[in-house]
């Protein structure tokens, strides 16, 4: 089976197009460039903070929505019946379009045999969730087949907002509701009425093809008031623009106002459990606790999970994020490009690559050199000075690939460690500085230092045995990393050797994992992707 490059994307041998990254959000109604934040110190951690906030908030939203489903319930889109004032929203869409169904079918055929054998194409994905709810919550005399299957649609939404009515607020100061597509409103009302008769924690309303479910009537009243005054979430320009930027054909998605949620986390820092504790449970840690260490936060995050014929992909964008007045607009964005990753040996198991890493670190160093005191000492030991020494070692573009872990993991199991085989490539680096640094690092080692050579403007350091072909020519690599050539950061992990070590009968079917990060003055876009290789 061949793996052609996707249309309208540069190949892994071509230079990046002018203008850089592939994730430029399309302008929409009310769109305006993000204002440049004032210069502040400590901007070196801005980009990882932006990405980290997104991960934290997505985890929080999924965690909270799952807990509400367990405690309460368990055409149109759910955001059409939830308020525009929502500060967090998550959605699961199990009713794909015809094109999505075709993509799903092709992807399933690419799954490893051992996984594909476990898939029941006739199974109702909502049945297991509802059966678990009925069993765990003790709704007597109710079954999925009789009480839920006749009406339960395949779209679910969960929203959190700050209510006007204090009686609607939980101890974190928020209110929350679930919207469930209802194909038969009468049947939905009958089933939910039966649940309500057996539990004090069920309040609901059925309208506009959805059942809106929460834990108390005050929340429903406040939801109606919020919509009457501000409209529904699908009418909110910022939300729709953010979600359009990540694509609308997702099986699951989430959106959140990071500033509002960070403020809630700060307000809840004095409580025993932090924010959203009512949606937790025994042995659950509030995912918002980690936000209490941040100062003033603004910006938004959008995330979508989608299935393509070739891979499963998670994309997350943080938009207009600022922490204590520092934003990505404070950076001079380097030219993107991960082409050096494709030039690593063809037997590379793990690889990381970046463009402009030295420039970004240099900007952070100029702002706050004391944060680099320890690293600066290391550079001095290598005979280099900050920040120019970073460029001497890393150049404009950098890639590192491990081709054989050797015995590097044996030490964790009581064995003797042997060094891995690897290759380092740096375009625009000073080969003499690289060679001198390696000699210094290996001065007291019993193993031979990596050999250093040059290929045009690229400095190459190789240790151990590596392949002679290019990683960029490997079909699985091309499939996994397709379209990421113009990112700023990239990661690749070949799962085949690990599956083989784990005793899988067909390790080649597990394919690889890939990730990339692209950013500009207002947006940090992250992709994570699994490209299995079964059915070939």
């Amino acid at each position: 089976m061949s793996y052609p490059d996707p249309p309208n994307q540069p190949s892994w041998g071509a230079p990046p197009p002018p203008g850089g990254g592939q994730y430029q959000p399309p302008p929409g109604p009310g769109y305006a460039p993000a204002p440049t934040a004032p210069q502040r110190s400590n901007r070196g951690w801005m980009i990882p903070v932006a990405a980290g906030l997104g991960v934290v908030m997505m985890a929080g939203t999924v965690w909270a929505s799952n807990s509400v489903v367990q405690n309460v319930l368990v055409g149109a889109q759910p955001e059409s019946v939830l308020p525009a004032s929502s500060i967090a929203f998550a959605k699961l869409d199990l009713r794909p379009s015809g094109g999505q169904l075709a993509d799903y079918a092709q992807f399933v055929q690419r799954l490893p045999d051992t996984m594909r054998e476990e898939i029941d194409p006739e199974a109702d994905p909502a049945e297991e969730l509802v059966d678990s709810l009925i069993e765990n919550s003790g709704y007597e005399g109710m079954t999925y087949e009789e009480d839920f299957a006749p009406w339960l649609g395949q779209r679910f939404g969960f929203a959190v907002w700050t209510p006007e009515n204090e009686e609607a607020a939980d101890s974190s100061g928020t209110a929350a509701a679930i919207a469930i597509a209802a194909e038969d409103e009468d049947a939905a009302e009958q089933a939910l009425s039966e649940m309500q008769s057996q539990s004090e924690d069920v309040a609901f309303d059925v309208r506009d093809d959805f059942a809106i479910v929460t834990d108390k009537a005050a929340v429903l009243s406040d939801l109606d008031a919020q919509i009457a005054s501000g409209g529904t979430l699908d009418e909110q320009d910022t939300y729709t623009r953010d979600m359009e930027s990540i694509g609308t054909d997702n099986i699951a998605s989430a959106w959140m106002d990071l500033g509002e949620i960070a403020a809630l986390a700060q307000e809840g820092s004095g409580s025993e459990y932090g924010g959203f504790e009512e949606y937790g449970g025994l042995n659950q840690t509030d995912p918002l606790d980690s936000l209490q260490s941040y100062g003033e936060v603004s910006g938004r995050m959008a995330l979508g999970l989608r299935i393509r014929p070739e891979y499963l992909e998670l994309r997350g964008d943080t938009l207009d994020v600022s922490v204590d007045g520092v934003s990505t607009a404070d950076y001079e964005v380097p030219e993107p490009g991960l082409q050096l990753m494709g030039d690593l040996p063809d037997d590379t198991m793990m690889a990381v690559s970046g463009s402009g890493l030295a420039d970004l670190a240099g900007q952070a160093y100029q702002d706050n050199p004391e944060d680099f005191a320890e690293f600066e000492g290391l550079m001095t030991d290598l005979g280099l000075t900050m920040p120019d020494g970073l460029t001497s070692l890393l150049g404009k573009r950098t890639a590192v690939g491990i081709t054989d872990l050797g015995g590097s993991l044996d030490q964790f199991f009581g064995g003797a460690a042997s060094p891995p085989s690897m290759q380092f490539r740096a375009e625009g680096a000073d080969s003499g500085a690289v060679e001198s640094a390696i000699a210094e690092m290996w001065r007291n080692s019993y193993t031979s230092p990596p050999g250093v050579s040059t290929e045009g403007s690229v400095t190459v350091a190789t240790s151990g045995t590596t392949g002679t072909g290019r990683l960029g020519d490997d079909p699985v690599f091309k499939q996994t990393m397709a379209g990421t050539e113009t990112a700023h950061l990239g990661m690749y992990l070949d799962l085949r050797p690990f599956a083989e070590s784990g005793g899988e009968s067909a390790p080649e079917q597990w394919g690889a994992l890939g990730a990339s990060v692209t950013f500009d003055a207002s947006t940090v876009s992250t992709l994570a992707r699994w490209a299995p290789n079964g059915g070939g």
Side-chain angles (χ1 to χ4, degrees):
M1 177 176 290
S2 62
Y3 297 81
D5 291 315
N8 302 319
Q9 293 285 357
S11 71
W12 274 93
Q22 69 270 41
Y23 303 125
Q24 299 296 328
Y31 174 82
T36 300
Q39 293 290 330
R40 294 283 298 274
S41 62
N42 289 323
R43 67 184 181 185
W45 43 266
M46 184 59 233
I47 291 176
V49 163
L53 278 171
V55 171
V56 167
M57 294 318 308
M58 180 57 186
T61 301
V62 172
W63 164 83
S65 62
N66 180 63
S67 297
V68 171
V69 167
Q70 292 297 326
N71 291 336
V72 178
L73 171 72
V74 95
Q77 296 293 334
E79 52 264 55
S80 66
V81 294
L82 294 170
S85 56
S86 297
I87 61 176
F89 172 74
K91 178 171 68 173
L92 178 64
D93 190 343
L94 299 178
R95 180 178 289 175
S97 65
Q100 287 175 300
L101 283 172
D103 287 350
Y104 297 172
Q106 292 180 63
F107 177 76
V108 168
Q109 291 306 309
R110 297 187 62 86
L111 291 173
D113 291 342
T114 52
M115 294 185 67
R116 193 165 61 248
E117 292 167 358
E118 300 296 323
I119 296 176
D120 180 3
E122 303 299 325
D124 184 339
E127 183 172 0
E128 183 177 351
L129 176 64
V130 174
D131 283 343
S132 175
L133 165 75
I134 293 172
E135 179 180 352
N136 295 331
S137 301
Y139 291 110
E140 297 180 0
M142 302 188 74
T143 66
Y144 174 79
E145 192 66 31
E146 292 185 5
D147 298 289
F148 293 91
W151 66 271
L152 192 68
Q154 300 298 306
R155 289 180 177 139
F156 308 83
F158 168 78
V160 175
W161 67 94
T162 303
E164 297 289 341
N165 181 359
E166 292 184 0
E167 294 183 2
D170 60 33
S171 57
S172 72
T174 63
I178 297 174
I180 307 157
E183 298 179 352
D184 184 331
E185 293 190 358
D186 290 338
E189 185 155 359
Q190 182 176 347
L192 293 171
S193 295
E194 176 60 27
M195 292 176 63
Q196 191 176 55
S197 70
Q198 298 188 38
S199 173
E200 297 180 352
D201 296 325
V202 176
F204 74 91
D205 189 17
V206 181
R207 61 173 183 262
D208 300 327
D209 299 322
F210 277 92
I212 304 170
V213 188
T214 185
D215 60 346
K216 50 190 173 183
V219 174
L220 292 175
S221 297
D222 190 83
L223 183 150
D224 289 340
Q226 297 272 343
I227 291 177
S229 62
T232 55
L233 186 58
D234 65 343
E235 298 171 337
Q236 200 227 91
D237 288 343
T238 300
Y239 166 79
T240 55
R241 185 174 66 248
D242 290 349
M243 298 308 291
E244 285 172 358
S245 75
I246 65 166
T248 57
D249 56 345
N250 302 305
I251 188 172
S253 57
W255 177 89
M256 55 226 47
D257 185 321
L258 299 177
E260 292 290 339
I261 297 180
L264 283 174
Q266 295 288 346
E267 292 173 5
S269 61
S271 69
E272 182 178 358
Y273 300 105
F276 292 158
E277 62 266 28
E278 288 191 2
Y279 301 118
L282 295 176
N283 302 319
Q284 288 194 358
T285 301
D286 187 339
L288 301 182
D289 282 347
S290 59
L291 288 179
Q292 296 168 7
S293 61
Y294 296 120
E296 183 180 349
V297 178
S298 64
R300 302 158 332 268
M301 185 270 197
L303 189 146
L305 177 68
R306 68 190 64 179
I307 297 175
R308 293 287 187 258
E310 302 87 359
Y311 45 73
L312 177 70
E313 180 179 88
L314 181 69
R315 173 173 173 177
D317 284 8
T318 55
L319 305 109
D320 301 329
V321 170
S322 174
V323 179
D324 290 337
V326 183
S327 75
T328 53
D330 294 324
Y331 283 86
E332 181 179 344
V333 179
E335 181 182 354
L338 302 180
Q339 283 72 26
L340 281 190
M341 184 186 283
D343 291 334
L344 291 168
D346 57 355
D347 57 348
T348 296
M349 300 168 56
M350 295 184 289
V352 292
S353 183
S355 179
L357 301 180
D359 290 342
L360 291 171
Q363 292 178 56
Y365 174 80
Q366 296 285 7
D367 276 350
N368 209 347
E370 57 268 25
D371 285 351
F372 290 80
E374 188 171 333
F375 185 75
E376 190 169 18
L378 174 62
M379 294 289 285
T380 299
D381 292 340
L382 298 177
L384 299 169
T385 58
M386 288 285 289
D388 294 339
L390 289 172
T391 301
S392 298
L393 293 180
L394 301 179
K396 295 182 178 179
R397 293 188 176 92
T398 314
V400 179
I402 296 176
T403 61
D404 186 351
L405 286 172
S408 58
L409 298 180
D410 291 347
Q411 56 185 313
F412 295 104
F413 302 99
S418 59
S421 297
M422 60 185 299
Q423 186 174 100
F424 167 85
R425 306 180 71 88
E427 179 184 351
D430 184 333
S431 60
V434 172
E435 191 166 10
S436 297
I438 289 175
E440 180 64 28
M441 288 188 289
W442 260 260
R443 181 165 34 153
N444 297 319
S445 174
Y446 293 104
T447 61
S448 300
V452 179
S453 61
T454 58
E455 297 178 4
S457 62
V458 179
T459 296
V460 182
T462 304
S463 176
T465 302
T466 62
T468 58
R470 292 180 67 254
L471 179 61
D473 295 330
D474 177 40
V476 171
F477 174 84
K478 291 175 68 177
Q479 194 68 46
T480 305
M481 303 302 293
T484 66
E485 296 88 337
T486 54
H488 288 93
L489 297 170
M491 182 279 291
Y492 174 74
L493 178 65
D494 190 339
L495 297 178
R496 293 169 292 181
F498 296 97
E500 183 176 7
S501 298
E504 287 290 332
S505 59
E508 71 282 354
Q509 296 184 350
W510 287 86
L513 298 173
S516 67
V517 177
T518 307
F519 64 94
D520 58 26
S522 63
T523 305
V524 177
S525 292
T526 303
L527 278 181
R529 183 182 289 170
W530 175 41
N533 196 36

